[in-house]
Amino acid sequence: MTVIKPLTPNLRKEIIDGINAQRIELDTCQNTAYVSIQKISFETVEKLIRGLPDGYPIPLLPGDGCAGRC
C-alpha cells in the first residue's frame, strides 16, 4: 500500500543518503555501460529530489527504507 508523506529535510536527507549508498556499491563494479547508466540516473534523481520544495508529497511503499513510517 502506497503512503504519501511530505518531503521534509530529514526525508530528503534519507533519500539522498540511500542514493549515495547505492553509488558507493556501484563503485565496486566494473565500469560497464549498465553501471554508467545507473550512475547517471542516480545523479538525475538526486537533482530532482534536491529541487523539490519542502512539503512535496512523496509516495512511499513499505520496504522503501521508510524506517517504519509507512
Side-chain angles (χ1 to χ4, degrees):
M1 179 178 149
T2 303
V3 176
I4 306 296
K5 297 286 183 176
L7 183 61
T8 61
N10 189 41
L11 180 56
R12 183 185 325 265
K13 181 183 179 318
E14 288 180 32
I15 292 169
I16 292 171
D17 287 348
I19 291 169
N20 288 333
Q22 291 182 43
R23 278 190 189 137
I24 290 168
E25 188 173 347
L26 280 176
D27 287 343
T28 65
C29 298
Q30 184 179 10
N31 195 20
T32 65
Y34 301 109
V35 171
S36 295
I37 289 168
Q38 288 185 47
K39 287 181 178 181
I40 291 168
S41 297
F42 289 143
E43 282 181 37
T44 304
V45 170
E46 183 177 349
K47 286 180 185 178
L48 173 67
I49 295 299
R50 287 187 188 277
L52 292 173
D54 285 351
Y56 189 86
I58 301 289
L60 298 173
L61 295 172
D64 275 352
C66 53
R69 293 172 303 176
C70 298

